[in-house]
Amino acid sequence: PNTQYELLRRRIGSNTEEFWYFISSELQNLRKQITDSAPNAQQSLTPSIDHILSLGTEHKRSLIHDIRALAENDGYSTWRELEANDLSNIVQSRLRYIQNPPDCKSAKKLVCNLNKGCGYGCQLHHVVYCFLVAYGTERTLILKSKGWRYNKGGWDHIFKPISDSCIYDSSESGSNWPGSIDSQVITLPIIDSISPRPPYLPLSVPEDLAPRLIRLHGDPIVWWVGQFLKYLLRPQEKTSAFLQEAMSNIGFKRPIVGVHVRRTDKVGTEAAYHSIDEYMHAVNEYYDQLELKQPVDKRRVYLATDDPKVIQEAYGKYPHYEILADPSISKSAAVSTRYSESSLNGIIVDIHMLSMSDYLVCTFSSQVCRVAYEIMQNYYPDASDKFRSLDDIYYYGGQNPHNRMAVLPHDGHNNGELSMLPGDLIGVAGNHWNGYSKGKNLRTKQIGLYPSFKVKDKVEIVKLPVYPEAAD
Ligand code: GDP
């Protein structure tokens, strides 16, 4: 298919969602206004509004159903599978090549310490960042991981070593970033303090693969990050066996929606509180949609959380759902034990199950869910729309500015919205999931809300080494 076709197909899908976010939330506002301020009109008007809401939802589902069916019937689905495999093979062989240089002793290296002072998801993102820099500088990544807070023995106890042949020699003392092109060993600080910042930090994708990625995938950076995780998270045999066992113990079965409810220390500091009902509302919508396509015997959920109370509440409130959860996992995620060895198995299982689910409902403010979403990309040609975040849009901690480009004009004068002209760059702050996003027009410096459908994502493309020596 040509790129334009694929972009349009995805755009129609996401804008159908945006259209209904807009209409339904405006109608709900209206309904509330009437209830609050015009009780006399309430009796006659609310039933009409409710009718529009309910039939409107059906309209939307039918459209989404047909748009998805289009992708299954346009004759390109085999192409999508093959293209995704091919691109992944290219990247994986490059990563193998970088990590297994012909002569380890003389190879240029980049040293990172796994043990960034943060949670497991955050640490994985730290390693991916290091790997991206290694890719950009043609250096072999050396991961220092002895004494890791999640496993004192280090990374290799859980995952395959990131190199078969090139092991860290602690006698090699490196230069600090950026070093020089001749520095044999460079030590990298965390992304929050790297200076100068190289251009290939997220959300950039490599120029040589960009045209194919943009055609294939709705969010190329997520795919790109997913490839690094695919290489990094190759499990050791015992990890793999343990994950298998966890899946069969819990009765993992499709269809299944992965729900991640992040509470405890995150709420009120880095994220707002969301009730279990909000998550389940999105789960319900997923299944209502799915039922247009196939009968659903049981509405099944895998529930991951760092707060065991959430599991009890879900069991109590949603008895007609099949809720798969392991309360001992969320107990081990308690703030007091979370950054220790006893919590590693739990978080690995939870992220694995979430990433294996058919759809994710969570808050992207949590790195746990973003990691699951990134890994999920490895199981489909394009899983960029298989999620519902209750707060942030996808981002990568420490990323460069995320811009979109206006494709339709918007005059926000009269209602305090963001004005824009086609071609304007809009720095994105977030999606309010009501038809509007927040952003800054980089031309006028105005900050405000704008209708989400009037922009398109601007994929950042950057020149990177192409590794011709890496054989497939
Ligand atoms: P974030 O703080 O949610 O962005 O994610 P991080 O991974 O950086 O740190 C949170 C830590 O809390 C995780 O690494 C886990 O140790 C723990 N945690 C949070 N949510 C869950 C969950 O759903 N299951 C388990 N097992 N642990 C969790």
Side-chain angles (χ1 to χ4, degrees), residues 370-391:
R370 272 181 281 134
V371 165
Y373 175 59
E374 290 153 357
I375 298 171
M376 187 190 224
Q377 306 308 315
N378 292 316
Y379 309 132
Y380 305 86
D382 176 9
S384 62
D385 63 353
K386 293 185 184 294
F387 79 95
R388 175 81 169 88
S389 168
L390 301 183
D391 57 13

Side-chain angles (χ1 to χ4, degrees), residues 119-122 150 260 262 266 304-306 329 333 338-339 343 346-347 350 365-368:
Y120 177 77
C122 167
Y150 285 104
H260 178 234
R262 180 73 164 93
K266 192 93 172 176
T305 177
D306 57 337
I329 291 183
R338 129 166 354 157
Y339 301 117
S343 73
I347 187 66
D350 274 345
S365 54
S366 170
Q367 314 218 38
V368 172

